[in-house]
């Protein structure tokens, strides 16, 4: 757990709206946002510098999500080629009651990578959570989402945690020791290397304080390579813009001088590794200032920006069991394009 003195909490009361302004209306909900992110800022930038200067340059995918990057991701999910989000939404919509029955109501709902909290909100009716804990790396997204939910009269008690769980998951500062549903949708687990994914799931399992705790997770499947390629290299170039935008974000964070025009998006399925790879490829030889250093890139040299691992359903069930979860249940769309699992602690 993070040292107490490094945690900052802000209690936020949303401004009264026309619906809540009158004396007899339900009072606007307030909520606390806890921030354990800032303590690592310098170490994060040092690590980013090292990954750019390494012989095989890379940028971790969490740096995609500045304000423009988050907006571009929301556009990706609307492209016809990018099937995961809409397929997961269709599974949730079709099987919501069945899934909710397996989970059971009244639990603390912990949303890992909550973003705009729209996916979670759809479960409030069926699950009647005791409270909702949004966890995200983006303070602005988290704040906006909780302010919006505070205006929803059906929303449970609200809390937020701004943190980066890509290295270590520690949600203990905001958790109550009670039956908890961990929610990790969207196949974001695919961004981890398989050994890291197992470690991440074990950390979720370690946060389970009662046998009534469980994990609801969305995982993309292996499928036709051409469809996978297209999903990560759409015709309109939205994924290309999303990938290239990471260079602008890194420029802002680290003071580098990447010129987006020098780089080209690459996104393709690597069947030997069961993963999508995204790279930025130098269109010609170029050099970039990285703090005190100059990084030379040869023509065609790549910066690895993302992996997105794909799992067969039986494969992911075993990973869940290996992480200490029991009785994994799987729901899929008819085509088997996406899997949703619920597994108990
Ligand atoms: C947000 C990690 C689930 O891997 O499919 C989408 C990110 N990258 N298009 C994914 C992403 C390129 C996405 N996740």
């Amino acid at each position: 757990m993070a040292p107490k003195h490094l945690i900052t909490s802000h209690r936020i009361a949303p401004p009264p709206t026309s619906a809540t302004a009158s004396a007899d209306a339900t009072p606007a909900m307030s909520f606390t946002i806890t921030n354990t992110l800032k303590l690592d800022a310098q170490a994060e930038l040092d690590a980013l510098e090292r990954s750019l200067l390494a012989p095989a340059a890379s940028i971790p995918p969490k740096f995609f999500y500045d304000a423009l990057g988050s907006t571009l991701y929301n556009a990706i999910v609307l492209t016809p080629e990018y099937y995961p989000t809409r397929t997961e939404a269709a599974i949730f919509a079709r099987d919501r009651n069945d899934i909710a029955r397996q989970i059971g109501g009244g639990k603390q709902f912990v949303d890992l990578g909550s973003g705009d909290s729209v996916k979670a909100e759809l479960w409030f009716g069926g699950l009647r959570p005791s409270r909702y804990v949004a966890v995200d790396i983006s303070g602005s997204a988290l704040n906006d989402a909780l302010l919006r939910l505070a205006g929803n009269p059906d929303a449970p008690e609200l809390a937020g945690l701004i943190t980066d769980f890509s290295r270590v998951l520690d949600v203990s500062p905001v958790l109550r020791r009670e039956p908890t549903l961990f929610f990790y949708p969207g196949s974001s687990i695919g961004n981890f290397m398989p050994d890291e994914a197992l470690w991440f799931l074990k950390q979720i399992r370690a946060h389970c304080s009662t046998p009534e705790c469980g994990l609801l997770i969305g995982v993309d499947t292996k499928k036709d390579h051409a469809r996978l390629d297209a999903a990560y290299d759409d015709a309109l170039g939205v994924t290309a813009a999303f990938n290239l935008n990471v260079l602008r974000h890194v420029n802002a964070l680290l003071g580098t001088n990447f010129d987006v025009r020098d780089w080209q998006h690459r996104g393709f399925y690597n069947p030997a590794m069961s993963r999508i790879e995204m790279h930025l490829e130098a269109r010609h030889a170029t050099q970039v200032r990285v703090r005190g250093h100059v990084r030379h890139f040869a023509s065609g040299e790549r910066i690895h920006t993302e992996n997105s691992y794909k799992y067969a359903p039986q494969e992911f069930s075993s990973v869940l069991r290996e992480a200490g979860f029991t009785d994994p249940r799987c729901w899929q769309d008819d085509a088997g394009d996406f899997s949703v699992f619920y597994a108990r602690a």
Side-chain angles (χ1 to χ4, degrees):
M1 178 169 156
K4 276 270 186 283
H5 65 282
L6 292 174
I7 298 173
T8 58
S9 285
H10 301 280
R11 190 146 185 90
I12 296 168
T17 63
S18 53
T20 56
S22 71
D24 53 350
T26 319
M29 251 188 290
S30 69
F31 51 85
T32 299
I33 295 182
T34 303
N35 188 350
T36 60
L37 186 63
K38 321 199 227 312
L39 42 155
D40 295 308
Q42 204 47 54
E44 283 299 338
L45 295 182
D46 291 347
L48 179 57
E49 173 187 336
R50 281 195 299 277
S51 61
L52 284 172
L53 295 175
S58 63
I59 300 172
K62 67 186 170 198
F63 293 110
F64 284 138
Y65 301 96
D66 65 350
L68 179 53
S70 299
T71 301
L72 287 167
Y73 180 69
N74 288 340
I76 287 176
V77 307
L78 300 177
T79 63
E81 294 94 337
Y82 193 77
Y83 60 86
T85 308
R86 80 171 62 90
T87 309
E88 182 185 57
I91 298 168
F92 283 160
R94 188 195 62 192
D95 295 329
R96 193 174 307 280
N97 294 341
D98 186 27
I99 297 170
R101 224 178 358 260
Q102 297 295 330
I103 296 168
K107 291 177 182 170
Q108 168 173 246
F109 188 123
V110 178
D111 191 359
L112 299 171
S114 49
D116 60 13
S117 294
V118 167
K119 286 184 194 178
E121 192 178 15
L122 293 168
W123 288 97
F124 290 171
L127 287 175
R128 296 276 149 213
S130 63
R131 63 195 294 248
Y132 172 65
V133 183
V135 183
D136 207 89
I137 193 169
S138 164
S140 60
L142 198 142
N143 192 53
D144 291 353
L146 290 182
L147 279 172
R148 186 179 63 76
L149 290 177
N152 173 353
D154 293 330
E157 181 191 323
L158 304 172
L161 175 65
I162 305 165
T163 195
D164 172 15
F165 54 69
S166 66
R167 272 164 217 270
V168 178
L169 176 73
D170 185 4
V171 293
S172 57
V174 292
L175 228 56
R176 286 191 202 141
R177 296 182 69 82
E178 61 181 52
T180 302
L181 172 68
F182 292 92
F183 185 52
Y184 195 44
S187 199
S188 292
I189 189 79
N191 274 175
F192 290 110
M193 305 288 277
D195 59 333
E196 297 170 341
L198 176 62
W199 162 236
F200 184 70
L201 296 172
K202 283 181 172 168
Q203 292 178 92
I204 295 176
R205 178 65 185 79
H207 278 81
C208 291
S209 52
T210 82
E212 294 81 30
C213 293
L215 168 66
L216 179 62
I217 184 169
V219 185
D220 199 9
T221 58
K222 302 174 193 198
K223 56 182 61 65
D224 174 64
H225 299 175
R227 285 186 62 212
L228 284 165
D229 288 343
Y232 291 83
D233 191 9
D234 62 280
L236 206 50
V238 183
T239 307
F242 171 77
N243 195 8
L244 288 161
N245 177 66
V246 81
L247 298 176
R248 299 175 60 261
H249 192 202
V250 169
N251 284 345
L253 289 171
L254 214 54
T256 46
N257 61 341
F258 280 105
D259 183 340
V260 166
R261 287 186 172 78
D262 293 340
W263 299 86
Q264 191 174 5
H265 165 67
R266 296 285 179 207
F268 54 86
Y269 188 60
N270 176 342
M273 301 291 273
S274 300
R275 70 187 191 195
I276 289 284
E277 293 182 14
M278 295 219 306
H279 302 260
L280 292 163
E281 187 177 295
R283 292 179 187 272
H284 46 78
T286 185
Q287 55 186 48
V288 178
R289 268 188 289 110
V290 182
R291 287 173 158 174
H293 311 264
V294 175
R295 174 63 159 94
H296 294 265
F297 290 95
S299 180
E301 189 174 346
R302 289 170 172 179
I303 303 173
H304 193 168
T305 53
E306 185 172 47
N307 291 319
S308 189
Y309 280 84
K310 309 302 172 186
Y311 294 88
Q314 329 77 267
E315 233 175 4
F316 200 77
S317 291
S318 337
V319 179
L320 285 167
R321 283 200 198 84
E322 200 180 339
F325 289 95
T326 52
D327 195 18
R329 310 268 169 120
C330 178
W331 293 262
Q332 284 200 319
D333 56 304
D334 293 340
D337 283 346
F338 199 87
S339 310
V340 167
F341 293 86
Y342 178 66
R344 292 181 300 107

